[in-house]
Amino acid sequence: MRKPKLSRILATLAAATLAALGAVAVNPAPASAAVRNVCYNISQAGPFANTAVQAAAIWNNYTNNINMAQCGSNLRITYTYGGGSYAQRTSLGNGRVVIDYNQAQQYSALRIMTHEIGHILGLPDNYNGNCAILMSGGSAGTSCTNPYPSSAEASRVDSLFGFAARSATPAQVFTGSWPAAATVGAQRLSHGRSRDATA
Ligand SMILES: [Zn+2]
């Protein structure tokens, strides 16, 4: 009984050693977080195409683990008239941003854009009225034009895009970040008439 047992132990040790060597060979740099491309598409961004490019540059400057580039359609930038800007995240780094043209006449279009992209990059809303916080959105008022994430917001995105936590960010739709413009509310109250007027 001893002999088979000893050989089993030796075999186990040998297998473990080989597995360890194999693991090192497969993962040459396990400690570093991978930079991930977030490919965005501005073909349907209309007047906000350049705003999207500026917002992508801001996120690239403020983070280490993502690289936003026009390399595909993980993220589609679109726009509409009325109803509010929003982000529709299907998974971390994937989804759609819709900019409300009317709202962007009152609030900074660039701040709206970087905020909504922030949702796609994993950030929740934080309506604390603080203009220094990007995810405070419209709660900071129309005078707030800050389009930059705070260091805490940027760090959060970097950690979400770290190699271990990517699957932890669920699909979600973020609406209501920006109070509707007064004209939009008026149109809603009598949308039948305004629809005729704008048709
Ligand atoms: Zn929001």
Side-chain angles (χ1 to χ4, degrees):
M1 285 301 286
R2 275 182 190 173
K3 225 175 181 182
K5 193 176 180 184
L6 179 61
S7 64
R8 259 203 314 275
I9 291 169
L10 290 173
T12 302
L13 285 172
T17 304
L18 288 171
L21 290 171
V24 169
V26 170
N27 300 313
S32 65
V35 172
R36 185 181 161 195
N37 287 326
V38 176
C39 296
Y40 67 101
N41 184 312
I42 57 171
S43 65
Q44 296 171 295
F48 300 106
N50 190 48
T51 311
V53 172
Q54 290 178 60
I58 287 172
W59 277 114
N60 286 342
N61 286 340
Y62 277 73
T63 57
N64 298 311
N65 290 348
I66 63 165
N67 175 47
M68 294 193 67
Q70 294 181 56
C71 48
S73 300
N74 296 106
L75 168 58
R76 288 188 177 278
I77 309 293
T78 64
Y79 73 106
T80 186
Y81 294 94
S85 305
Y86 65 96
Q88 183 176 20
R89 185 179 67 215
T90 51
S91 64
L92 187 62
N94 293 284
R96 186 167 65 117
V97 161
V98 180
I99 303 298
D100 178 350
Y101 182 93
N102 298 345
Q103 209 164 48
Q105 307 307 303
Q106 286 197 309
Y107 293 85
S108 160
L110 183 54
R111 179 171 161 84
I112 295 175
M113 185 70 77
T114 47
H115 172 105
E116 301 301 349
I117 291 175
H119 286 310
I120 301 299
L121 301 180
L123 297 179
D125 279 312
N126 181 9
Y127 299 139
N128 62 5
N130 185 348
C131 187
I133 304 297
L134 181 61
M135 301 317 286
S136 69
S139 73
T142 54
S143 64
C144 175
T145 60
N146 170 37
Y148 304 111
S150 68
S151 58
E153 290 172 321
S155 296
R156 177 68 181 145
V157 169
D158 271 335
S159 86
L160 285 171
F161 277 81
F163 67 96
R166 282 181 197 170
S167 61
T169 307
Q172 195 170 341
V173 179
F174 298 88
T175 58
S177 298
W178 306 86
T183 52
V184 176
Q187 283 174 357
R188 271 185 189 156
L189 288 172
S190 58
H191 63 275
R193 235 183 329 135
S194 72
R195 195 176 288 166
D196 290 340
T198 55

